[in-house]
Amino acid sequence: MIIAIDGPAGSGKSTVAKHAAVALGFHYLDTGAMYRAVAVRAVAKGLDLGDEAPIARIATDEPITFGYTPGEPLPTSVFISGQDVTLQIRTPQIDLAVSPVSAFPAVRTALTQQQRCFGAQFDTVMEGRDIGTVVFPQAELKVFLTATPEARAIRRVKQNAERFAGDTKSEAFAAATDEAAVLADILRRDAYDSSREVAPLAAAADSVTIDTTDMSIDEVVERIVDLAQARRVQGAQGAQQTQGAQDAQAAQQAQERAAQRGQA
Ligand code: DC
């Protein structure tokens, strides 16, 4: 079963998707981290961020993997070509670089393929911008999370403060926890992600939209887990009905064949 969770930056996707995955015993895939890992490599190699071909080669050739800490159900680190980029992918520099990188069709094709491969193997809660629309349009449950830009900026600052807690004197900490700058970046990325030509951020027609502005994380997770359980039951009933319909059709065909034999 695939649960697609899409929405803009800071809508609570990551936190909610992780909790829902643990509650349901599903795998979790953060597709934004994959685009970010490609951006880290592109910046490290000094590539021109307007040049698609060499950046697409990173997406096709350099394996992105997730590291797990023993005893913890969710991935705790991200690697590209074996290099740990867990902290680097969250810096303001990469917040900026990831927009053009993720707008390249060839980069999207490569990462979409890897995401489909992951989802084909495991029950997965997958979060991103285009999971319900492009990566898994047949996902059993599609959720689109929203919240006001201000609420999203406050959440992002809190999250960044926790991430960079070991490094509070650094420039990265100061930049990542500056609320006005974070809000400006969120608005910039909303505009960019929604207006790009390939796989723009959009709610799938059959998704459930949840405005999380005034909801606690637990409330949102509970809603998603309830929806997932309901879809599971519906799926099982649908499969039973399909099997029942197939059985009835087979019985009718057998009767028709018997009748034809009788006439012959
Ligand atoms: O979710 P995030 O902020 O970590 O995502 C980083 C960037 O990657 C974001 O600006 C949009 C892009 N992205 C995308 O285009 N498609 C996805 N499925 C996930 C992220």
Side-chain angles (χ1 to χ4, degrees):
M1 179 175 187
I2 300 289
I3 300 179
I5 302 191
D6 291 304
S11 56
K13 283 188 317 274
S14 297
T15 313
V16 162
K18 284 179 189 167
H19 281 75
V22 172
L24 291 161
F26 280 24
H27 279 71
Y28 161 74
L29 188 66
D30 174 1
T31 62
M34 298 173 74
Y35 286 98
R36 286 171 179 273
V38 172
V40 166
R41 290 296 283 168
V43 169
K45 288 181 163 182
L47 298 178
D48 173 355
L49 295 183
D51 196 358
E52 181 168 10
I55 300 181
R57 267 198 298 280
I58 298 177
T60 48
D61 299 352
E62 301 204 27
I64 299 170
T65 52
F66 292 88
Y68 290 79
T69 305
E72 292 198 23
L74 297 168
T76 47
S77 43
V78 190
F79 298 83
I80 182 158
S81 284
Q83 185 200 343
D84 187 344
V85 292
T86 312
L87 276 182
Q88 267 168 290
I89 62 170
R90 304 291 167 194
T91 58
Q93 186 191 19
I94 298 306
D95 281 345
L96 276 178
V98 72
S99 289
V101 165
S102 64
F104 286 133
V107 171
R108 303 203 69 84
T109 303
L111 296 190
T112 295
Q113 200 183 5
Q114 293 169 35
Q115 291 153 12
R116 286 187 181 143
C117 200
F118 188 97
Q121 296 174 70
F122 310 109
D123 283 332
T124 304
V125 177
M126 197 173 293
E127 59 139 315
R129 302 289 191 287
D130 61 339
I131 310 305
T133 49
V134 175
V135 182
F136 277 103
Q138 76 285 21
E140 287 85 347
L141 174 60
K142 300 178 189 180
V143 176
F144 193 80
L145 294 185
T146 59
T148 62
E150 292 73 19
R152 293 189 278 129
I154 292 170
R155 286 179 192 160
R156 203 24 82 89
V157 163
K158 257 174 104 177
Q159 214 175 36
N160 286 345
E162 283 161 21
R163 270 195 191 115
F164 292 95
D167 205 12
T168 53
K169 292 205 168 57
S170 69
E171 254 178 57
F173 178 87
T177 56
D178 175 339
E179 207 175 296
V182 170
L183 176 59
D185 180 66
I186 279 180
L187 292 173
R188 179 191 63 76
R189 279 203 288 150
D190 281 1
Y192 202 107
D193 292 347
S194 311
S195 63
R196 71 170 173 237
E197 274 181 27
V198 187
L201 168 67
D206 53 350
S207 64
V208 179
T209 296
I210 305 176
D211 183 341
T212 68
T213 307
D214 296 315
M215 289 175 84
S216 71
I217 291 166
D218 286 350
E219 284 170 334
V220 184
V221 173
E222 213 171 290
R223 178 88 204 282
I224 293 174
V225 170
D226 286 350
L227 285 166
Q229 273 157 356
R231 295 289 157 98
R232 238 187 205 163
V233 172
Q234 279 168 8
Q237 283 171 348
Q240 263 177 8
Q241 278 165 6
T242 309
Q243 187 61 52
Q246 282 170 355
D247 291 349
Q249 197 184 10
Q252 193 185 346
Q253 283 166 349
Q255 260 180 4
E256 283 167 5
R257 279 196 300 274
Q260 278 166 2
R261 276 199 300 273
Q263 280 168 5

